[in-house]
Amino acid sequence: MSVTMAAALRGSLVTLVKGLGGPRWQQLASRPLSVSAGLCSAEAPPARADATFKVTMVPGDGVGPELMTAVKEVFKAGDVPVEFEEFHLSEVQNMASEDKLEQVLTSMKNNKVAMKGKIHTPMEFKGELASYEMRLRRKLDLFANVVHVNSLQGYSTRHNNLDLVIIREQTEGEYSSLEHESVTGVIECLKIITREKSRRIAKFAFDYATKKGRSKVTAVHKANIMKLGDGLFLQSCAEVAQLYPKIKYENIIIDNCCMQLVQNPYQFDVLVMPNLYGNIIDNLAAGLVGGAGVVPGESYSAEYAVFETGARHPFAQAVGRNIANPTAMLLSAANMLKHLNLEYHSHMVSDAVKRVIKQGKVRTGDLGGYATSDEFTRAVIANLAV
């Protein structure tokens, strides 16, 4: 097509769009047309959202509020079409109540998507065994916690090029909050394992592996000791595995799994496990690629999705010192944008974070650098492809 024809086409498009009166279309029509190798094509504009998405934000305790500030600054700089409804819920700062919990739950149920920092749980017993963190998970039925442990290019660890996924059932198990003193000096703490929830998390793991093109699922257990409880979990995983003949299925005892992860983590692909084991393995695996500051995580129910850090630590000793690493929370925010089908913005944020780490010039103390949280956030903003 000639340049003259291209100009005529562009003029016709502008005339048509003016008739429609849509500012978004006017912006598209005003893009220059490039002529190359005899072909005429419009320069593709960045993908834009048709509306602003509302997302619930619960900063939590410790450095959570500082990390959420980093997310909000990056979103603002990248013109990300997300509006946060922010709630401060904390058991250690006297900002927790039934009313506040209901406000958070109402917002989450309305928005379907949330970002959350760690809500620290005091060790002292104050009349309620279930923490606010656990109550949130149960009321929203956030049964599946997913942590994708992925090495970051440019930051070397003992094991590089790691890529494994940890899937944890997080509504029962050892976190059932069923404890009592049967006789003086004797505490019974009940671990609850059900066939229904074991099969549900197993199916989630196999569906995840299928969707993501992964080849193996490993069930982590302690059925040699807890023959009935973990035995039921293991049996449920084996039953579900038979429905997915293309996915290889294995099982491994939790203590051996920890050793194998440290020695040779490349043998694992997707791991599925009960509640407490998942908490332990999440943290161990995060340490393999740089620590709690670099691994994102998310929790799912049938209706809701909550995005948070993969290894949940309040990092209280860093509060106000401007030293926390925003990487995990920013990558979690990018995963949230992908969940909202904001693919362009998701890649924009995650690519900027990974670019900063790969360059190696701006790193927080946990990665061997000297940058502050604010300096890292500004570096990410400077690398946004907007």
Side-chain angles (χ1 to χ4, degrees):
M1 184 182 291
S2 66
V3 176
T4 303
M5 290 178 65
L9 177 61
R10 177 169 174 252
S12 299
L13 183 58
V14 171
T15 302
L16 175 62
V17 171
K18 284 183 177 178
L20 295 173
R24 186 167 177 263
W25 289 101
Q26 289 176 10
Q27 181 184 9
L28 183 62
S30 63
R31 291 273 180 176
L33 293 173
S34 60
V35 180
S36 177
L39 297 175
C40 178
S41 61
E43 180 183 336
R48 306 296 294 180
D50 294 324
T52 298
F53 291 87
K54 283 191 174 182
V55 172
T56 305
M57 175 179 279
V58 183
D61 294 307
V63 296
E66 298 172 43
L67 299 180
M68 293 301 185
T69 297
V71 170
K72 289 185 285 189
E73 290 178 356
V74 170
F75 276 25
K76 182 178 179 180
D79 194 22
V80 177
V82 166
E83 177 185 339
F84 289 113
E85 292 183 355
E86 192 166 339
F87 298 88
H88 291 276
L89 185 66
S90 171
E91 293 188 61
V92 295
Q93 300 179 49
N94 295 320
M95 290 190 292
S97 65
E98 292 300 320
D99 288 342
K100 183 64 70 70
L101 180 62
E102 285 303 317
Q103 291 175 18
V104 173
L105 287 169
T106 299
S107 176
M108 286 184 172
K109 289 177 180 178
N110 289 335
N111 298 330
K112 308 295 185 185
V113 179
M115 285 201 68
K116 185 179 72 64
K118 169 64 178 173
I119 302 173
H120 183 60
T121 303
M123 294 185 186
E124 300 82 10
F125 175 59
K126 298 181 179 180
E128 177 61 59
L129 290 171
S131 67
Y132 277 81
E133 184 98 55
M134 280 303 305
R135 292 165 72 185
L136 272 175
R137 291 181 206 162
R138 289 178 188 165
K139 287 181 178 291
L140 297 174
D141 195 27
L142 296 167
F143 69 93
N145 178 244
V146 181
V147 176
H148 186 187
V149 180
N150 203 2
S151 295
L152 296 168
Q153 288 190 10
Y155 181 72
S156 296
T157 60
R158 177 176 179 179
H159 301 291
N160 295 311
N161 302 314
L162 280 184
D163 181 10
L164 58 93
V165 177
I166 300 160
I167 296 177
R168 163 192 179 190
E169 205 294 324
Q170 59 175 9
T171 59
E172 57 176 17
E174 298 83 359
Y175 291 55
S176 300
S177 304
L178 296 173
E179 298 181 80
H180 62 273
E181 188 173 23
S182 53
V183 296
T184 303
V186 178
I187 301 295
E188 292 182 336
C189 179
L190 303 182
K191 171 178 177 174
I192 305 300
I193 298 290
T194 63
R195 181 181 300 277
E196 177 186 356
K197 292 188 176 182
S198 296
R199 288 179 64 91
R200 180 172 66 168
I201 195 66
K203 185 178 186 305
F204 182 95
F206 279 94
D207 284 342
Y208 182 96
T210 301
K211 182 179 179 181
K212 301 294 183 179
R214 292 180 173 268
S215 60
K216 183 171 71 170
V217 171
T218 303
V220 182
H221 64 95
K222 192 65 176 174
N224 58 324
I225 301 299
M226 287 170 274
K227 301 180 187 300
L228 297 182
D230 279 24
L232 177 59
F233 177 82
L234 190 58
Q235 178 187 351
S236 299
C237 290
E239 291 171 354
V240 172
Q242 294 178 1
L243 304 176
Y244 298 82
K246 295 183 179 180
I247 304 294
K248 184 179 180 182
Y249 170 68
E250 295 179 349
N251 69 78
I252 188 171
I253 296 174
I254 175 64
D255 37 351
N256 185 30
C257 180
C258 292
M259 181 182 70
Q260 295 296 331
L261 276 168
V262 173
Q263 288 188 324
N264 179 25
Y266 303 102
Q267 64 186 288
F268 298 111
D269 192 355
V270 175
L271 299 100
V272 60
M273 60 204 74
N275 211 334
L276 179 60
Y277 308 156
N279 194 1
I280 295 168
I281 297 297
D282 282 347
N283 286 266
L284 189 158
L288 297 177
V289 295
V294 299
V295 178
E298 55 241 39
S299 296
Y300 295 101
S301 73
E303 295 183 73
Y304 313 113
V306 176
F307 295 83
E308 55 199 336
T309 56
R312 298 161 179 162
H313 294 282
F315 199 16
Q317 63 269 34
V319 173
R321 296 172 59 192
N322 199 19
I323 60 173
N325 189 346
T327 297
M329 196 64 81
L330 288 172
L331 291 178
S332 183
N335 291 339
M336 178 195 72
L337 295 176
K338 187 174 183 179
H339 177 77
L340 293 171
N341 291 319
L342 295 171
E343 294 281 350
Y344 168 77
H345 297 91
S346 172
H347 289 299
M348 176 182 68
V349 173
S350 62
D351 289 350
V353 172
K354 293 173 183 177
R355 196 175 298 121
V356 171
I357 291 176
K358 186 175 182 179
Q359 291 168 352
K361 297 178 181 179
V362 182
R363 286 182 179 170
T364 48
D366 58 323
L367 298 184
Y370 300 94
T372 64
S373 306
D374 290 344
E375 289 170 342
F376 185 90
T377 303
R378 287 195 294 270
V380 171
I381 291 173
N383 278 272
L384 292 173
V386 293

